[in-house]
């Protein structure tokens, strides 16, 4: 009896760890028909997989774009009008902002096409097609080959495939590994080069709640911005020219004004950046105990300094807006993830899964020979990896947090040419490139902040990494008679003596400096010492162990697909085009607390009123007025203005700005974030707790029309 009970319990755990809920998964659009279409239909999809992705005729994929290098956007008019997040457009809005034109604070709205603002360097990229090229890439790769040999063969095949795919076209192509390198896909894309800013709400709307609300539900921000793509008159991508015309969209999305209700089907199309859903329990432990805590600790101190200075000065607030939000974003997310992993019992659930894996593997001779070594080897590799990776993250988050180091490192190209005795012309070219870069850098640079960060970061690094592994220069600061561990004194000296700390002195210095003078600069010297230590002592062991872990993970992935053949596997996110689907649904964050699936403007007003100091809850007056007058036009519902809603979809960074669709492929919202309880979904998806947060599209229409008075833009859209 006891035996049977034991067995039943075991079976139950095994079954529960194998279960993949419909909501989990970051699916490949071209495999939807085969893997997902049926299930999606039962959940509420009304169109076909072919409508979502097709290479034969125009489909939804033609309206989805990679915005810049890190976000998603989508076309919402036949004239190239696109929508993405406010936080995705932030660095561009910031570039156009000054104390006189504070678009961060006031928002920006072009009232006609001539008023749209140029963004040199900004691109958007569409996917032309994707193709499984695994057979060709892996044809000559043998299981027993050395890693370097495998890599050389794979790289050579990839190069050929890319050359063939792009020959005679203006397309770009990449071949990316999927399923940890068990499969490879060719992705052909087309890039557009003239993308103009059309509209953005003020920070007080676009990032209402700021860092306090970031990664949180309930949420009240209108996180969107609008841009327009321009092409050459013949429709081809072209850099800015006054002759350029608005793009003729191949596909654009109708906008639903119907609203959403609990249980509705929802799908999100975009470019999720990276997930690690198939990590072993050892991998999760490493992230939870080493990687995230190291990064959190260093960013905590860096942000303390930046936030303090931003709150003291409008100039610094504008200069550091985009940098700060990037640093704070990861900082907060990792904290949520660590908590979420613990709360979900991710490690013990993985252990149960691994026990079932081992049970199945040992039951079959062939599997035992091929796969039984994987988990024990991963365990021992992670033991070696943990201290090495800790040092790696300390270096990344401490040394590269010092903007001066980062900036000085960019002179590498120039100094390498000088060292190698390159031609005068080549050196002059690199010199003027460096001078151009310097302009951008010093526009948004406050040496006082960086000096303090330098002292604090170097001290934390020196305090946390064993002395024997530290770069010489740190040991000197700690041990020398001169400094006796006084990092402030050291930083002060560097900042007083270096020519790198303000725009004007740097420009006159670099215009004439020879190699010896550059190398003598204390900021350059510090950079050179730190960076050379990194490349000789920190990076190589990190990369070597990581490559071994990656290779085992590849085999582990192969094994899981074979051993758990009843399970449907989706490939981890790798910044390729994906679709995820689920339902509009609230959740229960903790005992006795239930979160509703939507928020309203009344909630935003509550936050405003409850924070007399305002800070991140400073709503623009005009919005308050519209609220008081309940002037919501056709965009309200039952006397309320809805702001955000949540779905059980599986998303990650890079999905920011992704369109959210109903079952008919109509735009119902704009994805921008996840909830605090669910940020661990990059590693461990828990359907009870993980939610995607989107702005209700009706709030966006309301803001464009009623708040900004830019209703002319709605005439281009197809509202349904
Ligand atoms: N808010 C996230 C981002 O900034 C989106 C996410 O990771 O859910 O990319």
């Amino acid at each position: 009896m006891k035996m049977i009970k034991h067995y039943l319990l075991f079976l139950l755990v095994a079954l529960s760890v194998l279960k993949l809920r419909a909501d989990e998964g970051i699916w490949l659009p071209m495999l939807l028909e085969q893997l997902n279409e049926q299930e999606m239909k039962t959940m509420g999809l009304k169109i076909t997989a072919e409508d979502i992705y097709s290479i034969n005729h125009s489909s939804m994929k033609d309206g989805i774009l990679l915005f810049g290098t890190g976000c998603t956007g989508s076309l919402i008019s036949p004239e190239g009008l696109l929508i993405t997040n406010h936080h995705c457009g932030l660095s561009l809005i910031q570039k156009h902002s000054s104390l006189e034109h504070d678009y961060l604070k006031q928002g920006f709205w072009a009232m006609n096409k001539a008023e749209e603002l140029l963004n040199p360097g900004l691109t958007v990229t569409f996917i032309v097609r994707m193709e499984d090229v695994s057979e060709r890439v892996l044809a000559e790769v043998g299981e027993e080959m050395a890693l370097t040999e495998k890599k050389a063969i794979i790289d050579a095949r990839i190069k050929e495939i890319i050359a063939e795919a792009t020959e005679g076209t203006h397309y770009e192509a990449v071949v990316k590994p999927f399923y940890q390198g068990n499969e490879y896909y060719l992705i052909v894309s087309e890039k557009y080069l003239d993308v103009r800013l059309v509209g953005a709400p003020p920070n007080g709307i676009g990032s209402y709640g700021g860092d306090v609300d970031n990664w949180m539900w309930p949420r009240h921000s209108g996180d969107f911005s609008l841009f327009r793509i321009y092409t050459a008159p013949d429709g081809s991508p072209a850099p800015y020219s006054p002759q350029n015309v608005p793009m003729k969209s191949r596909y654009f999305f109708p906008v639903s004004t119907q609203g959403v209700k609990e249980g509705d089907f929802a799908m999100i199309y975009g470019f999720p950046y990276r997930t690690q859903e198939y990590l072993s329990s050892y991998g999760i432990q490493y992230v939870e105990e080493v990687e995230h805590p190291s990064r959190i600790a260093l960013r905590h101190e860096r942000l303390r300094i930046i936030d303090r200075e931003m709150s003291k000065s409008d100039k610094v607030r504008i200069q550091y807006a985009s940098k700060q939000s990037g640093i704070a974003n990861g900082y907060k997310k990792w904290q949520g993830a660590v908590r979420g992993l613990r709360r979900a019992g991710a490690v013990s659930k993985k252990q149960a899964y691994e026990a079932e894996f081992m049970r199945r593997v040992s039951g079959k001779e062939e599997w035992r020979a091929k796969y039984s070594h994987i988990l024990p080897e991963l365990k021992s590799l992670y033991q070696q990896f943990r201290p090495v990776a800790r040092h790696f993250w300390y270096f990344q988050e401490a040394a590269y947090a010092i903007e001066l180091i980062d900036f000085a490192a960019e002179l590498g190209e120039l100094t390498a040419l000088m060292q190698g005795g390159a031609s005068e012309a080549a050196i002059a070219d690199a010199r003027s490139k460096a001078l151009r870069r310097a302009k951008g850098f010093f526009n948004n640079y406050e040496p006082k902040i960086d000096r303090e960060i330098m002292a604090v970061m170097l001290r934390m690094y020196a305090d946390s990494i064993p002395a024997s592994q530290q770069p010489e220069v740190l040991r000197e600061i700690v041990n020398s008679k001169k400094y006796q561990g006084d990092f402030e004194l050291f930083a002060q000296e560097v900042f007083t003596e270096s020519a790198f700390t303000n725009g004007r002195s740097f420009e006159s210095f670099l215009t004439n400096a020879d190699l010896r003078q550059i190398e003598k600069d204390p900021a350059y010297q510090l950079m050179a010492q730190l960076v050379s230590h990194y490349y000789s002592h920190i990076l190589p062991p990190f990369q070597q162990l990581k490559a071994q872990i990656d290779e085992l993970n590849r085999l582990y992935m192969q094994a899981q697909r074979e051993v758990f053949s009843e399970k449907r596997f989706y490939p981890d996110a790798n910044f390729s085009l994906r679709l995820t689907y689920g339902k509009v649904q609230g959740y229960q964050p903790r005992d006795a607390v239930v979160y509703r699936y939507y928020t309203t403007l009344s909630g935003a007003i509550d936050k405003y009123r409850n924070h007399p100091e305002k800070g991140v809850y400073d709503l623009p007056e005009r919005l308050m007025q519209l609220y008081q007058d309940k002037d919501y036009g056709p965009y309200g519902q039952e006397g309320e203005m809805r702001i955000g809603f949540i779905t059980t979809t599986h998303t990650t960074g890079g999905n920011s700005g992704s369109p959210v669709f109903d079952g008919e492929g109509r735009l119902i919202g704009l994805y921008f974030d996840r909830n605090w309880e669910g940020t661990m979904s990059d590693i461990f998806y828990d359907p009870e707790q993980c939610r995607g947060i989107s702005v209700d599209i009706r709030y966006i229409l309301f803001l464009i029309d009623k708040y900004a008075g830019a209703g002319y833009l709605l005439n281009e859209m197809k509202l349904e």
Side-chain angles (χ1 to χ4, degrees):
M1 185 62 188
K2 207 165 161 208
M3 273 290 284
I4 294 177
K5 237 167 116 182
H6 206 77
Y7 177 73
L8 279 178
L9 194 74
F10 183 79
L11 201 71
L12 219 74
V13 173
L15 284 177
S16 78
V17 293
L18 275 176
K19 202 168 67 181
L20 181 82
R21 279 255 316 242
D23 325 284
E24 178 174 355
I26 297 169
W27 303 98
L28 274 169
M30 74 265 229
L31 298 184
L32 289 177
E33 190 177 340
Q34 198 181 318
L35 294 176
N36 313 88
E37 190 175 23
Q38 233 177 2
E39 178 184 77
M40 290 168 81
K41 291 224 149 124
T42 64
M43 291 170 73
L45 179 74
K46 299 281 183 316
I47 54 180
T48 65
E50 180 81 2
D51 294 327
I52 298 173
Y53 178 93
S54 170
I55 48 168
N56 302 317
H57 52 79
S58 108
S59 62
M60 288 172 74
K61 93 157 183 357
D62 300 321
I64 309 290
L65 54 99
L66 178 65
F67 181 83
T69 52
C71 280
T72 302
S74 61
L75 290 173
I76 51 171
S77 97
E79 295 179 73
L81 185 66
L82 75 86
I83 188 164
T84 186
N85 284 151
H86 183 263
H87 78 264
C88 296
L90 186 67
S91 63
L92 304 151
I93 304 164
Q94 180 192 336
K95 262 195 205 137
H96 293 295
S97 297
S98 59
L99 288 172
E100 303 83 67
H101 297 287
D102 195 344
Y103 297 140
L104 290 173
K105 206 168 195 165
Q106 316 294 345
F108 169 79
W109 303 97
M111 286 303 161
N112 54 56
K113 293 201 178 81
E115 286 181 10
E116 295 170 358
L117 299 176
L118 303 182
N119 301 289
L122 172 64
T123 60
V124 299
T125 309
F126 291 87
I127 300 304
V128 177
R129 66 190 168 91
M130 291 175 76
E131 187 186 325
D132 184 353
V133 290
S134 315
E135 255 177 54
R136 192 163 159 202
V137 171
L138 298 171
E140 292 155 46
V141 173
E143 201 58 67
E144 62 303 324
M145 280 177 180
L147 283 184
T148 45
E149 196 183 348
K150 274 190 195 177
K151 186 170 172 329
I153 294 177
I154 290 173
D155 288 350
R157 285 299 85 76
I158 288 179
K159 222 168 135 190
E160 285 165 19
I161 295 171
I162 290 177
E164 280 169 27
T166 51
E167 200 191 335
T169 71
H170 63 277
Y171 293 155
E172 294 179 355
V174 284
V175 172
K176 286 190 182 221
F178 287 69
Y179 294 107
Q180 271 60 22
N182 288 291
E183 291 181 13
Y184 284 83
Y185 282 74
L186 164 71
I187 303 167
V188 181
S189 61
E190 186 177 34
K191 191 175 263 175
Y192 287 79
L193 311 165
D194 182 358
V195 188
R196 306 184 192 173
L197 177 63
V198 175
N203 259 351
I205 292 176
S207 58
Y208 186 65
D211 292 341
V212 181
D213 280 10
N214 195 17
W215 301 111
M216 295 279 193
W217 182 254
R219 193 64 159 278
H220 299 90
S221 48
D223 194 347
F224 80 102
S225 57
L226 299 171
F227 289 79
R228 192 187 301 282
I229 308 170
Y230 282 76
T231 67
D234 67 359
S236 62
Y240 166 75
S241 147
Q243 267 73 54
N244 282 359
V245 295
M247 170 194 226
K248 286 203 175 57
S249 310
R250 261 190 302 265
Y251 194 102
F252 68 93
F253 298 103
V255 177
S256 164
T257 52
Q258 312 299 312
V260 298
K261 55 182 192 320
E262 187 130 42
D264 278 357
F265 175 78
M267 54 186 175
I268 298 183
Y269 215 166
F271 293 89
Y273 186 62
R274 181 165 180 255
T275 58
Q276 299 174 278
E277 307 294 338
Y278 304 101
L279 275 187
S280 60
S281 57
Y282 314 109
I284 296 186
Q285 267 169 323
Y286 153 73
V287 174
E288 192 179 312
E289 292 164 14
V290 178
E291 183 179 321
H292 283 359
S294 310
R295 304 187 79 181
I296 291 167
L298 286 152
R299 287 198 182 197
H300 180 82
E301 288 303 304
R302 181 151 56 132
L303 282 166
R304 186 179 55 74
I305 299 166
I306 295 176
D307 288 347
R308 189 193 62 214
E309 294 302 317
M310 281 176 80
S311 71
K312 285 204 289 209
S313 141
D314 273 353
K315 180 169 159 262
V316 174
R317 177 181 54 76
I318 296 175
Q319 286 179 318
Y320 277 71
S322 174
K323 283 190 263 198
Q324 192 274 357
S325 83
I327 304 163
N329 199 43
Y331 167 69
K332 190 161 179 194
K333 175 184 151 181
W334 300 322
Q335 293 178 64
V338 168
R339 282 171 61 142
L341 287 171
R342 290 201 185 125
R343 184 161 171 236
V347 170
S348 57
K349 285 189 181 140
K350 278 281 172 169
Q351 283 167 343
Y353 176 79
E354 286 161 7
E356 173 62 8
F357 172 79
M358 288 305 271
R359 195 187 66 81
R360 292 190 188 191
V361 164
S362 51
K364 196 166 165 183
E365 176 56 42
E366 185 203 336
W367 287 348
R368 210 178 318 140
K370 277 200 300 189
Y371 301 139
S372 60
H373 67 287
I374 298 176
L375 288 167
E377 272 182 34
L378 274 173
K379 181 178 179 183
S380 108
L381 276 172
Y382 270 109
Q383 260 154 17
Q384 298 168 55
F385 188 59
R386 289 167 69 110
V388 171
R390 183 164 181 276
H391 192 174
F392 172 85
W393 288 117
Y394 260 81
F395 189 92
Q396 287 284 334
E397 294 286 343
Y400 286 129
I402 305 164
E403 293 179 71
L404 197 57
I405 300 291
D406 222 17
F407 175 64
E410 287 193 353
L411 284 187
E413 188 191 340
L414 174 64
T415 49
L417 287 171
M418 287 170 151
Q419 279 156 356
S423 71
E424 287 286 314
I427 292 175
D429 194 41
R431 201 189 292 268
S432 52
K433 237 203 273 166
L435 282 165
R436 269 201 306 279
R437 235 185 280 128
K439 268 216 168 58
F441 175 76
F442 286 110
N443 273 344
N444 293 324
Y445 183 64
E446 197 48 64
K448 199 169 66 155
I449 297 181
D450 203 27
R451 192 187 65 207
E452 193 177 344
I453 288 181
M454 176 185 279
V456 172
M457 291 294 106
L458 293 184
R459 183 177 40 71
M460 286 183 79
Y461 181 35
D463 285 351
S464 310
I465 299 299
S468 62
Q469 294 170 24
Q470 288 176 21
E472 190 67 35
V473 51
L474 289 196
R475 277 185 285 169
E476 250 174 60
I477 303 173
V478 173
N479 299 324
S480 70
K481 262 225 175 81
K482 180 172 174 196
Y483 297 114
Q484 297 178 26
D486 189 342
F487 284 90
E488 280 78 25
L489 177 66
F490 173 79
Q492 197 169 4
E493 257 182 39
V494 172
F495 273 77
T496 326
E497 286 165 26
S498 170
F500 285 48
T501 55
N502 89 57
R504 231 168 300 134
S505 71
F506 181 77
E507 197 182 324
S508 66
F509 168 78
L510 195 70
T511 311
N512 306 305
D514 60 20
L515 181 62
R516 206 182 46 84
Q517 285 165 316
I518 297 178
E519 286 177 341
K520 254 181 63 189
D521 186 278
Y524 189 88
Q525 267 181 16
L526 175 64
M527 179 281 293
Q529 283 167 305
L530 290 175
V531 169
S532 94
H533 187 78
Y534 175 71
Y535 282 105
S536 57
H537 289 85
I538 305 173
L539 191 60
F542 177 85
Q543 279 180 327
Q544 200 208 341
L545 283 165
K546 191 168 170 310
Q548 284 174 271
I549 290 173
D550 288 348
E551 177 56 15
L552 270 178
N553 277 336
R554 185 196 63 72
L555 193 64
Y556 186 34
M557 184 81 247
Q558 174 190 318
Q560 289 175 74
R561 292 172 84 186
E562 211 174 313
V563 169
F564 297 119
S565 57
E566 74 277 27
K567 190 176 153 176
R568 206 171 37 155
F569 286 88
Y570 58 91
D572 263 321
N574 60 356
F575 214 19
S576 59
L577 185 63
R578 301 294 181 92
L579 189 99
T580 162
Y581 53 91
K583 293 201 153 147
V584 174
Q585 203 169 86
Y587 69 107
Q588 209 176 323
R590 51 189 180 276
D591 190 33
V593 178
V594 179
Y595 279 161
R596 192 179 61 191
Y597 72 93
Y598 70 91
T599 56
T600 66
L601 190 52
S602 313
I605 302 284
D606 272 351
K607 285 180 177 170
Y608 175 87
R609 292 195 179 134
N610 292 333
H611 291 84
E613 81 293 354
K614 299 300 163 256
V616 297
Y617 296 118
D618 200 4
L619 282 174
E621 235 160 70
R622 172 146 181 75
L623 188 59
M624 307 281 290
Q625 193 59 50
L626 288 164
Y627 171 75
Q628 246 138 47
D629 302 343
K630 297 275 172 289
D631 186 5
Y632 303 146
Y635 314 110
Q637 180 175 344
E638 292 137 15
E640 289 268 27
M641 183 72 244
R642 294 201 181 185
I643 291 189
F645 64 88
I646 45 177
T647 53
T648 59
T649 42
H650 189 176
T651 45
T652 184
N655 269 123
S656 278
S658 289
V660 189
F661 300 113
D662 64 9
E664 314 219 24
R666 297 179 306 187
L667 195 63
I668 50 174
L670 190 68
Y671 173 84
F672 68 101
D673 207 7
R674 277 171 287 160
N675 60 331
W676 181 244
E677 297 77 12
T679 51
M680 79 294 194
S681 67
D682 287 351
I683 296 169
F684 190 85
Y685 183 89
D686 176 358
E688 298 304 324
Q689 295 296 321
C690 295
R691 294 292 177 274
I693 306 179
S694 303
V695 195
D696 191 312
I697 201 69
R698 295 170 300 170
Y699 185 49
I700 294 176
L701 297 175
F702 159 80
L703 289 169
I704 298 173
D705 183 5
K706 287 279 176 183
Y707 172 82
Y712 80 96
L713 290 167
L714 271 51
N715 299 336
E716 291 182 38
M717 302 178 197
K718 195 166 154 216
L719 304 183
E720 292 182 350

